[in-house]
Amino acid sequence: MSVKVDKVEFKSEIGVGKINEDACGYKENTFWVLDGATGLNKRNLSDDISDAHWYTNWWDKYLNDNSFKDINLKDIMYKGIKKVDDDYQKFCVGKKVEKIDFPSASITIIRVNDEKLEYFILGDCRLYIDDGCKVQIIHDDSVSKLDNNIFNAMLDMEDFYSIDLSESLSILSEQIIENRMKNNCDDGYWILSFDEKAIDKAKYGIIDIEKDIRIMIASDGYYSYSDKYRLIEEDLLIDETFKYGIDIMINQIRNFEDDKDRIRRIPRFKDKDDCTCLCINIEKINE
């Protein structure tokens, strides 16, 4: 027995802003989704339009160039984090740079080897596995817990439903900064940035592929469909995506976000987030 990957579908769509800071791709038997975040000081140190775009695209290129190597995903990421730090530090020469300036990214990577599925997850990009009987969702909720503290504070505002989102975020800016300063700390959350220790804190594992399965990787902008907007139960999201396709699902997300009466009741960080999803089928075959 062996396995075959087919029917790869993926899309990454910009939300608000000048550029999409998500990225996704695949190389041979390796697949990934990245969700970038620029430093909260809004400084742009790289030579790109945003540091988060520079950062996610650096990793996208690195994984394209290195994901085929016969080493595990953690070792690939170890090697990459040293290189990305060296490349980014060139932009910082002669400048005073603080932790809050650094870009970061959530990432989920999977690799199919023989009859095994290897995964690596840092941050809040989620991995969905549907074996026809049940849906397994593998994710790290440490970022979401901190985000929910902000969202609950928004809902506690007497005038949240009537003021602009930007004003709500401005009122809570200190708490948002406090949360971001907890990145790559044991009492906060672990994320892909420039700290090698984060690699060991990732969710990492290898799963035996015992039957045909469907796989979906999604950024929070995509799974907001179920997680934030409650348009469907989350364990149905992968089936809905395979049934209708990523394009239609993203259109439904945008239609919800365009409904001003409904969206103003939802606490969030952006009017429209970058939205990324990648789907594959893995088929068991007889040789």
Side-chain angles (χ1 to χ4, degrees):
M1 297 287 288
S2 62
V3 299
K4 179 178 72 173
V5 176
D6 65 357
K7 297 180 181 178
V8 181
E9 180 188 6
F10 63 94
K11 184 171 185 178
S12 185
E13 180 177 286
I14 190 172
V16 294
K18 297 178 180 179
I19 197 163
N20 186 353
E21 295 177 336
D22 284 5
C24 66
Y26 68 97
K27 173 73 173 293
E28 297 175 348
N29 61 341
T30 306
F31 308 81
W32 58 86
V33 166
L34 289 135
D35 180 356
T38 294
L40 287 182
N41 273 342
K42 301 187 184 300
R43 298 177 65 189
N44 197 54
L45 300 173
S46 72
D47 56 4
D48 204 333
I49 193 168
S50 84
D51 282 3
H53 184 262
W54 179 91
Y55 190 73
T56 54
N57 278 269
W58 189 100
W59 279 103
D60 185 49
K61 183 179 185 304
Y62 172 80
L63 291 170
N64 262 299
D65 293 342
N66 293 277
S67 60
F68 60 89
K69 292 183 178 177
D70 191 23
I71 58 176
N72 66 48
L73 292 178
K74 290 180 75 171
D75 287 340
I76 289 173
M77 296 304 293
Y78 267 124
K79 292 177 182 294
I81 210 163
K82 294 176 182 177
K83 292 180 179 179
V84 73
D85 186 37
D86 288 342
D87 286 352
Y88 188 75
Q89 288 303 323
K90 296 172 185 176
F91 301 124
C92 302
V93 176
K95 302 173 184 175
K96 183 179 179 181
V97 183
E98 303 176 36
K99 181 178 181 179
I100 200 171
D101 294 317
F102 292 137
S104 60
S106 296
I107 186 170
T108 291
I109 317 172
I110 65 166
R111 183 164 60 178
V112 181
N113 261 334
D114 297 324
E115 297 176 36
K116 297 186 182 297
L117 177 72
E118 182 185 15
Y119 65 86
F120 176 98
I121 301 171
L122 267 174
D124 59 5
C125 291
R126 295 183 180 178
L127 170 62
Y128 299 74
I129 304 172
D130 180 6
D131 68 1
C133 297
K134 67 179 187 301
V135 175
Q136 183 180 6
I137 305 171
I138 305 176
H139 65 103
D140 180 355
D141 63 0
S142 57
V143 176
S144 299
K145 287 178 178 177
L146 289 174
D147 288 347
N148 285 337
N149 292 336
I150 302 294
F151 298 153
N152 289 333
M154 286 182 178
L155 292 173
D156 286 340
M157 296 177 181
E158 291 185 6
D159 53 356
F160 171 67
Y161 297 146
S162 61
I163 65 176
D164 288 340
L165 177 60
S166 59
E167 188 174 346
S168 298
L169 294 171
S170 178
I171 293 169
L172 296 171
S173 60
E174 288 189 13
Q175 188 175 346
I176 293 171
I177 291 172
E178 286 177 9
N179 282 358
R180 182 67 70 88
M181 292 299 290
K182 293 179 180 178
N183 76 78
N184 291 337
C185 297
D186 283 324
D187 63 346
Y189 63 97
W190 293 91
I191 202 79
L192 185 64
S193 187
F194 302 105
D195 190 341
E196 292 179 31
K197 291 184 295 184
I199 305 303
D200 284 328
K201 301 294 184 176
K203 285 189 173 294
Y204 174 81
I206 298 175
I207 299 171
D208 291 328
I209 302 172
E210 299 176 343
K211 58 172 77 172
D212 294 355
I213 57 175
R214 301 187 298 184
I215 299 289
M216 182 174 81
I217 311 172
S219 68
D220 62 343
Y222 187 84
Y223 65 74
S224 64
Y225 190 100
S226 55
D227 181 75
K228 188 179 297 179
Y229 301 151
R230 309 294 183 187
L231 298 174
I232 199 173
E233 293 297 322
E234 189 169 13
D235 60 354
L236 300 176
L237 182 60
I238 182 172
D239 187 62
E240 200 85 345
T241 299
F242 273 83
K243 182 178 180 180
Y244 294 107
I246 298 172
D247 278 331
I248 288 177
M249 297 294 286
I250 292 178
N251 286 340
Q252 291 182 12
I253 292 170
R254 298 307 188 216
N255 288 339
F256 183 92
E257 292 166 336
D258 286 336
D259 186 331
K260 301 305 180 185
D261 186 59
R262 298 174 77 185
I263 196 63
R264 68 184 176 85
R265 304 174 185 275
I266 309 294
R268 59 207 188 282
F269 291 117
K270 297 179 179 179
D271 287 320
K272 295 180 181 180
D273 200 359
D274 299 334
C275 198
T276 303
C277 182
L278 183 150
C279 297
I280 61 172
N281 283 312
I282 300 178
E283 179 185 353
K284 292 276 284 189
I285 57 175
N286 294 313
E287 294 183 321

